Amino acid sequence: MSTVKSASSVPKVLVVDDDSDIVELLEYNLTKEGYSVLTASNGRKAIEIAKSFIPDLILLDIMMPQLDGIETGRILRQNQDIRNTYILFLTARSEEYSEVAAFDVGADDYITKPIKPRALMSRINALFRREAQKADSGDQIDILDLSINRKNYTVTQGGEKAIVLPKKEFELLFFLAQTPNKVFNRDELLQKIWGADIYVLERTVDVHIRKLREKLGDSYIKTLKGVGYMFSNEKE
């Protein structure tokens, strides 16, 4: 049964794949679930459509003509209007370096083909359910010189101009800052941020921590070797 009930709040999905059979399969199942769907057969067209459609979710292949999925994802994440859009890679590429590259450009999930429609729909519905649950929790954390605002996915540091973070980087920072000085291992963070129904590499956490440190500095998130990560509320 579909999780999409209200016509005024129907999530929008952009399907990007050069295989017309896969596009047709995904479009059929998504529409059946109640989603609004547009499609593109290459990366350049996907970027063009996304700018006006502003999808809530993009299903993105890697191996495509004109512009591959990794570069397409990178360009999409640079668009401020699409920074909160979920990006799920659906690809035949199963090697680890492709998966790492996908998460490095801001993927929310990475699923290898062949596609199992029912399982895919379950994962997509779970993403939107978690989003609704997060909206009901607190919207802002003020700690040290950081103001972390969940409404617009921004972090203000020292009263300076707000830094806009990609969705998963923001969620990771927000989660750690909620319980400062508590250490979480990679598996716990994967479960909390990506969800139990999504399989991603543990290295994905390291990539997102690295990106946060590049933007905010090294003094906030500490590494306990062999254990995990924590947000430190003690100034150095």
Side-chain angles (χ1 to χ4, degrees), residues 11 16 44 61 74-75 92 124 130 164 174 185 191 209 217:
V16 189
R44 294 195 186 282
D61 188 22
R74 190 187 313 279
I75 294 171
I124 290 172
R130 284 200 302 275
V164 179
F174 195 93
N185 62 40
Q191 294 281 330
I209 293 291

Side-chain angles (χ1 to χ4, degrees), residues 50-101:
K51 287 178 180 178
S52 57
F53 187 48
I54 314 297
D56 300 289
L57 168 69
I58 299 173
L59 299 179
L60 186 59
D61 188 22
I62 288 183
M63 296 181 291
M64 296 185 296
Q66 298 189 34
L67 198 66
D68 68 55
I70 299 297
E71 186 59 25
T72 300
R74 190 187 313 279
I75 294 171
L76 288 168
R77 280 297 187 225
Q78 292 171 354
N79 187 312
Q80 294 300 305
D81 293 331
I82 307 173
R83 67 178 184 266
N84 294 334
T85 294
Y86 288 113
I87 297 181
L88 275 66
F89 280 86
L90 293 173
T91 177
R93 302 290 293 269
S94 59
E95 61 275 2
E96 182 176 331
Y97 71 83
S98 291
E99 184 169 349
V100 170

Side-chain angles (χ1 to χ4, degrees), residues 46-227:
I47 293 168
E48 178 185 333
I49 293 173
K51 287 178 180 178
S52 57
F53 187 48
I54 314 297
D56 300 289
L57 168 69
I58 299 173
L59 299 179
L60 186 59
D61 188 22
I62 288 183
M63 296 181 291
M64 296 185 296
Q66 298 189 34
L67 198 66
D68 68 55
I70 299 297
E71 186 59 25
T72 300
R74 190 187 313 279
I75 294 171
L76 288 168
R77 280 297 187 225
Q78 292 171 354
N79 187 312
Q80 294 300 305
D81 293 331
I82 307 173
R83 67 178 184 266
N84 294 334
T85 294
Y86 288 113
I87 297 181
L88 275 66
F89 280 86
L90 293 173
T91 177
R93 302 290 293 269
S94 59
E95 61 275 2
E96 182 176 331
Y97 71 83
S98 291
E99 184 169 349
V100 170
F103 283 110
D104 198 37
V105 300
D108 293 285
D109 200 356
Y110 188 97
I111 303 170
T112 55
K113 298 174 181 177
I115 295 167
K116 298 177 180 178
R118 290 182 63 184
L120 177 61
M121 293 305 112
S122 177
R123 288 167 79 154
I124 290 172
N125 291 336
L127 278 177
F128 287 113
R129 282 197 301 271
R130 284 200 302 275
E131 186 69 14
Q133 291 167 358
K134 288 171 186 173
D136 294 333
S137 60
D139 288 326
Q140 183 161 313
I141 296 175
D142 295 302
I143 186 169
L144 298 178
D145 62 342
L146 298 182
S147 181
I148 309 169
N149 190 310
R150 177 175 263 160
K151 286 185 177 180
N152 52 20
Y153 287 82
T154 60
V155 178
T156 303
Q157 185 177 34
E160 300 293 331
K161 182 179 179 180
I163 303 167
V164 179
L165 296 177
K167 183 185 288 287
K168 283 293 181 285
E169 289 177 35
F170 179 89
E171 290 176 355
L172 181 57
L173 175 65
F174 195 93
F175 177 76
L176 289 171
Q178 282 181 312
T179 51
N181 300 322
K182 180 176 180 179
V183 181
F184 295 91
N185 62 40
R186 290 177 180 83
D187 186 60
E188 288 175 315
L189 293 173
L190 287 172
Q191 294 281 330
K192 295 293 184 180
I193 307 304
W194 281 267
D197 52 344
I198 294 178
Y199 172 76
V200 294
L201 298 172
E202 286 190 352
R203 185 176 171 184
T204 300
V205 175
D206 302 334
V207 170
H208 284 70
I209 293 291
R210 173 175 57 80
K211 287 180 173 290
L212 284 171
R213 286 171 171 165
E214 288 173 356
K215 295 169 184 175
L216 302 176
D218 297 334
S219 62
Y220 303 102
I221 301 176
K222 302 298 184 183
T223 303
L224 274 71
K225 290 188 177 180
V227 183

